[in-house]
Each structure stands twice: as C-alpha cells, then as structure tokens.
Amino acid sequence: MSPSPPLSEAERFARLRLARTDRVGPVTFRQLLDRYGTAERALEALPELVRRAGGKGEGPPAVGLIEQELAAGDRIGARLLALGDADFPEPLAATDPPPPVLWTIGDASLMRRPCIAIVGARIASAGGQRIARGLAQQLGQAGHVVVSGLARGIDAAAHAGSLPTGTVAVLGGGVDDIYPPDNADLYRQIVDQGCVVSESPVGARAQAKDFPRRNRIISGLSRGVIVVEAELRSGSLITARLAAEQGRDVFAVPGSPLDPRSKGPNELLRQGAILCEGLEDVERAFSTLRTLREPGADDPFRGAPDEIDAALIERVAALLSPTPTPRDELARATGAPVGAVAAALLELSLAGRATLLSGGLASS
C-alpha cells in the first residue's frame, strides 16, 4: 500500500477539532473520514448532518479552544500525533477503530519499535514486582520497548526495569497528569528516557472512564500483553481481553492458587493464554511471522448520496435496538443500499439518537 500524503497543518488542526467534538468518538471519527475524505470537509458537513437527523448539540469546539490545547502542549514540550501522520504508530493505526489523536512527550519514535506490554496488580507482591522488573529488563535487552500504564505495583516495576532500553507509559489523563502522584519521580525519568502518551487533552485529569481507553492503547501499541498478577475483576484482564480482540498475543505468568492475585493470570491460562516464565516464552511465540498493518481502505459509504433522505433515517432509527446489528441486516430490512444505511447510521449517531459500536450499532 503506497504511503498517504503528509497531513497539512490545517488538516491536522481539523482532525484535533473533530476529535474533540461532542459525540465524535473513535468509531464516528473514522467513519466521518471515510465519508468525507478529510476532517476539514467533515467539520463543514457536521451541522447539517446533525440537523437532518433531528439532533441538537454543541457542534465542534470553538477554534480558540483548540488553539489553547495546542498552546498547552507547546508549553510542556508535548507533540501531537494525528491519525494519518507518518509518525503515528502503525500497530495502533491498525486497531479498529484507532484513536484519532495522541499527545506524546519524550521520545515518540519508541512507539515505532517492536513493543510489548506488561501489566498487573496495583497492590502487587514483592515477588510479582521482581518478576515484572526482570521480564522488562530481559525484553529490553532483546530489543523490545516495554509499554505499561504507570500505575503502582506491576506497571511501575515494568517501567523501572525497561528505563535503560526504552519504555512507554500510557496515561488516562493528559500527558502532564502524573497519576498516581507517588510515581512522580518515575514519570520524570520516563519523560527523559522514554515516552509518555495519552489520547486525552493536555491538562485533563484522569477519570474512571478514561482507563478503558488507556488500556486499549496499551494493547494496541503492543505485539503482545503479559499479565503478571491480577485479580479476576481487574483492569489488567480488560487489557488482556482487548489485546485478544485486537489480534495480539496474550501471555500470563502463573502463580500460586493461594494468592488471589494469581487468579487472573491462571484464568487466562485456562482460556488459552501463552504461559510466560521468561524471555524464551515470548521469543518462541513471536518466532511466527506476523505483522500488524493498517487495514486497507474499505469505504462503508460507497454509493451513498451526498444527502440522505430523512425518511430513510427514520426507517433505520426505528429498526435499532440495544443489540448491535450489522449494516447489511439493516440494509436488507430497509431495502436501501448499504452505503446509504451507513450514512444514515452516522447521522443518527451524531444527532445523539444512536450509539455507534465497533462492528454494529445500537440505539442509545
């Protein structure tokens, strides 16, 4: 696939503005680019799309707010990567859907090297932290960049072990949001020697809803995810599930059945995760040739008219339910082309009358 032309500064600005628009998440962002080709054209079309589907909303944020976000990034030496930039990490661009924008601080080129994630319990045992630190050292010396989430426990140990060879910390808040505060020294070392990355605006403080998005970036950047210690209901197992959905390898370090922190990795092993006791297990799994590349263009709006009939929008809306429904099923039910149905779904989502899901759509 031939490389895309570089984004203009105006288009990069528009992509950030579109990404910060109410009701435009990663799925809708990607679909708007598919339909209109550029964020600039999508922003121009947005007010009419929302109006036609009977929605109300704030619309795109004011230009001044986006300029403030860019200025805040400049003040702390952060760099913005928009989807479509040459330096946007290829494995992350291959996720479905990819994050529209990333803020980075430190050495962003680390994300273009082979990456592997190490995640686990915040309240980790001393033995678990030693395993995570040792694994990170071995992986770094073998040429891998270690990715984690800068949390206490296993995450912090993994970052500490891989500082000399390359580590990436993915945050839930902005790249300047040091959380937890007791990892402030480690954060500064990663800024100096590694890379800190976030999908959130500079200055944003982490909220509970931000951590699933953070976990998805951790797994998306990585060829595989290693879970060292985790209870059954934990963010680490969510990261492992996301990794499996993204086609990444999932590794688990076995532990004592007497320790609740071993229940997560042991359950992953029952489900088919790769047993990991050291570097050799990772290298053996990676010896199979496999690459993660951005998917080729698959335009769901092919054949859609520029303006979708309001009656079709209402017919599609009436067919939606909380159960995700494939576009071709909706097209069959309405007797309309798939491209026109995809466009109607997009407009309903922007109007707040439906929620786009990866692979389907459900009413909100």
Side-chain angles (χ1 to χ4, degrees):
M1 186 167 53
S2 59
S4 302
L7 299 178
S8 67
E9 283 306 309
E11 176 62 14
R12 294 179 81 251
F13 187 96
R15 292 195 178 199
L16 177 58
R17 191 177 179 211
L18 186 62
R20 299 297 183 233
T21 298
D22 187 38
R23 298 199 183 106
V24 177
V27 174
T28 306
F29 180 92
R30 188 60 183 258
Q31 294 203 345
L32 284 166
L33 288 188
D34 286 342
R35 186 171 180 191
Y36 293 100
T38 68
E40 291 179 280
R41 290 185 60 207
L43 286 169
E44 290 172 5
L46 214 50
E48 177 60 17
L49 295 180
V50 174
R51 184 201 64 77
R52 197 160 58 222
K56 298 176 182 177
E58 298 294 326
V63 167
L65 290 176
I66 302 304
E67 290 173 341
Q68 288 175 22
E69 182 176 344
L70 291 169
D74 285 341
R75 281 195 297 274
I76 63 169
R79 179 186 177 197
L80 177 71
L81 293 177
L83 182 65
D85 275 329
D87 290 341
F88 196 92
E90 191 172 359
L92 203 53
T95 58
D96 182 22
V101 295
L102 296 172
W103 277 105
T104 69
I105 187 166
D107 183 4
S109 70
L110 289 171
M111 293 186 289
R112 300 200 303 275
R113 288 172 46 193
C115 293
I116 186 165
I118 298 178
V119 298
R122 287 173 169 79
I123 304 174
S125 69
Q129 293 179 61
R130 180 171 59 82
I131 290 168
R133 191 179 303 108
L135 266 173
Q137 288 172 343
Q138 293 175 22
L139 289 162
Q141 290 163 4
H144 300 277
V145 171
V146 172
V147 180
S148 199
L150 197 67
R152 297 182 181 92
I154 298 301
D155 288 21
H159 286 307
S162 55
L163 266 173
T165 52
T167 191
V168 174
V170 185
L171 307 188
V175 287
D176 54 344
D177 180 34
I178 305 173
Y179 183 83
D182 46 331
N183 277 348
D185 286 344
L186 179 59
Y187 169 90
R188 284 189 283 270
Q189 291 178 75
I190 296 173
V191 168
D192 289 341
Q193 302 176 54
C195 181
V196 176
V197 61
S198 173
E199 195 177 359
S200 299
V202 175
R205 295 292 169 250
Q207 301 178 45
K209 65 180 178 61
D210 297 318
F211 289 101
R213 293 190 301 124
R214 178 207 62 171
N215 294 345
R216 194 168 181 278
I217 293 174
I218 290 174
S219 59
L221 281 170
S222 307
R223 169 96 187 255
V225 171
I226 302 172
V227 179
V228 178
E229 288 183 336
E231 298 201 18
L232 286 174
R233 296 175 63 85
S234 67
S236 299
L237 290 202
I238 292 173
T239 306
R241 175 177 58 79
L242 292 168
E245 291 173 358
Q246 293 166 339
R248 276 58 172 171
D249 289 317
V250 176
F251 300 86
V253 176
S256 167
L258 301 177
D259 188 341
R261 290 167 293 203
S262 297
K263 290 188 178 297
N266 290 350
E267 178 60 26
L268 289 174
L269 289 169
R270 288 190 196 96
Q271 295 173 5
I274 302 165
L275 184 143
C276 181
E277 294 180 318
L279 174 65
E280 298 79 13
D281 295 310
V282 176
E283 296 287 10
R284 189 181 306 114
F286 285 178
S287 63
T288 303
L289 291 176
R290 183 160 62 88
T291 57
L292 297 166
R293 297 191 181 280
E294 189 172 356
D298 179 19
D299 183 4
F301 305 104
R302 187 179 295 111
D306 290 339
E307 186 167 328
I308 302 301
D309 182 64
L312 175 60
I313 293 174
E314 294 307 319
R315 292 209 312 276
V316 171
L319 291 168
L320 300 180
S321 75
T323 303
T325 306
R327 281 189 295 260
D328 56 356
E329 289 292 330
L330 294 172
R332 189 175 296 113
T334 58
V338 173
V341 169
L345 291 173
L346 176 58
E347 294 185 23
L348 286 166
S349 174
L350 290 167
R353 298 176 61 191
T355 302
L356 279 169
L357 302 173
S358 184
L361 195 139
S363 61
S364 59

